[in-house]
Amino acid sequence: MTEPDAGSAAPAQPDRRPFVVLEHVNKHFGELHVLQDVDLTVGEGEVVVLIGPSGSGKSTLCRAINRLETIESGTITLDGVPLPAEGRALAGLRADVGMVFQSFNLFAHKTILENVTLGPIKVRGISKDDASARAHELLERVGVRAQADKYPAQLSGGQQQRVAIARALAMDPKVMLFDEPTSALDPEMINEVLEVMTSLARSGMTMLVVTHEMGFARRAADRVVFMADGRILEQATPEQFFTAPTTDRARDFLSKILPH
């Protein structure tokens, strides 16, 4: 059976301005072709959830958007501007792109408040008082304001990941990237992080989320993008994708992960 062309299904929603645009993006790790001529557009204010089997290229695609991974060919633009190669322009771009990883990457020797204020003070040039006030607001928003004076090791994994989200938001990013943000968490901590992400999605933030949490994809995504073997095979609304996937690979994937 021939798989349908993913490019013909559910591009960025037509009422949204294209914000993150990948065209003909290719990337190898040695002999492995991890991104194969990938085209993807994320509209402003859109929440796109990227799913697929392990090794399909999802995290590499996510990391390429802020140049944590370089690409070999193709183009990536953010808000109409091509991705800078290096230097101050790249640093400026990364300030506009919030990123939350599997590991929390907090500075162990700094308090929670210091972790959240460091970027705005050093990169954005915001005063310490203003950065602190904003950090307290964001820590309240993600439910850990009471932990502001503690150190990361004193917090649970779920609390640390919520701090990592607050830290990314403190830079006032134009888009948020999430690379499997709950995969390192104990099961009871996953929902507290997903609730913060769902709230963020509903606030209108532009988001690209790599996740294995299908409940989050159903609840929060505007569009689900399915990847396998370095290619985007299918794009659809959550309702369309989970009830009537059009490719054999997607049907097989869902049959293995969804409860029967």
Side-chain angles (χ1 to χ4, degrees):
M1 178 177 165
T2 303
E3 302 285 31
D5 176 14
S8 64
Q13 295 164 319
D15 57 335
R16 299 182 190 271
R17 183 170 68 90
F19 195 83
V20 180
V21 180
L22 291 79
E23 295 182 297
H24 306 300
V25 169
N26 284 276
K27 168 75 176 179
H28 286 79
F29 288 132
E31 295 294 308
L32 187 63
H33 197 173
V34 289
L35 296 177
Q36 301 187 38
D37 211 36
V38 170
D39 292 330
L40 178 67
T41 298
V42 181
E44 187 173 33
E46 187 179 19
V47 178
V48 173
V49 173
L50 195 56
I51 66 173
S54 295
S56 59
K58 306 181 303 295
S59 290
T60 302
L61 186 155
C62 188
R63 291 167 64 86
I65 292 172
N66 69 350
R67 213 175 170 80
L68 287 174
E69 295 286 358
T70 57
I71 61 173
E72 289 144 18
S73 63
T75 60
I76 301 176
T77 59
L78 284 174
D79 202 11
V81 178
L83 222 55
E86 55 191 19
R88 294 178 102 172
L90 181 58
L93 166 104
R94 285 183 174 151
D96 287 337
V97 180
M99 183 113 191
V100 179
F101 302 88
Q102 297 178 36
S103 53
F104 322 124
N105 293 350
L106 300 176
F107 292 111
H109 62 290
K110 293 186 180 295
T111 67
I112 297 309
L113 183 64
E114 288 168 339
N115 266 279
V116 178
T117 59
L118 185 65
I121 292 169
K122 297 286 188 185
V123 179
R124 295 289 195 203
I126 294 171
S127 74
K128 187 174 180 179
D129 286 348
D130 287 347
S132 180
R134 173 70 171 146
H136 280 293
E137 288 176 11
L138 290 169
L139 292 171
E140 176 75 31
R141 181 174 175 182
V142 302
V144 290
R145 182 168 183 168
Q147 317 300 328
D149 294 327
K150 292 183 179 178
Y151 289 87
Q154 296 174 278
L155 274 61
S156 70
Q159 289 173 323
Q160 289 187 61
Q161 192 62 294
R162 285 184 279 159
V163 172
I165 294 172
R167 179 182 58 182
L169 291 174
M171 295 296 288
D172 197 22
K174 295 178 179 177
V175 58
M176 286 281 287
L177 308 176
F178 293 85
D179 185 11
E180 300 194 16
T182 60
S183 64
L185 298 177
D186 293 333
E188 67 270 19
M189 297 176 185
I190 289 173
N191 280 342
E192 64 188 53
V193 173
L194 293 178
E195 284 173 10
V196 171
M197 292 169 60
T198 301
S199 172
L200 189 59
R202 289 176 177 155
S203 75
M205 173 63 74
T206 306
M207 294 168 60
L208 178 66
V209 182
V210 176
T211 186
H212 293 290
E213 298 296 331
M214 297 301 121
F216 173 80
R218 284 181 183 271
R219 185 168 66 248
D222 295 304
R223 181 161 42 114
V224 174
V225 174
F226 176 73
M227 283 189 78
D229 303 321
R231 298 180 182 275
I232 291 175
L233 297 185
E234 191 164 344
Q235 312 182 49
T237 65
E239 176 68 18
Q240 291 169 327
F241 179 77
F242 287 109
T243 58
T246 59
T247 62
D248 290 340
R249 287 299 300 274
R251 281 191 287 272
D252 181 59
F253 176 76
L254 290 175
S255 74
K256 291 174 179 173
I257 63 165
L258 294 181
H260 296 283

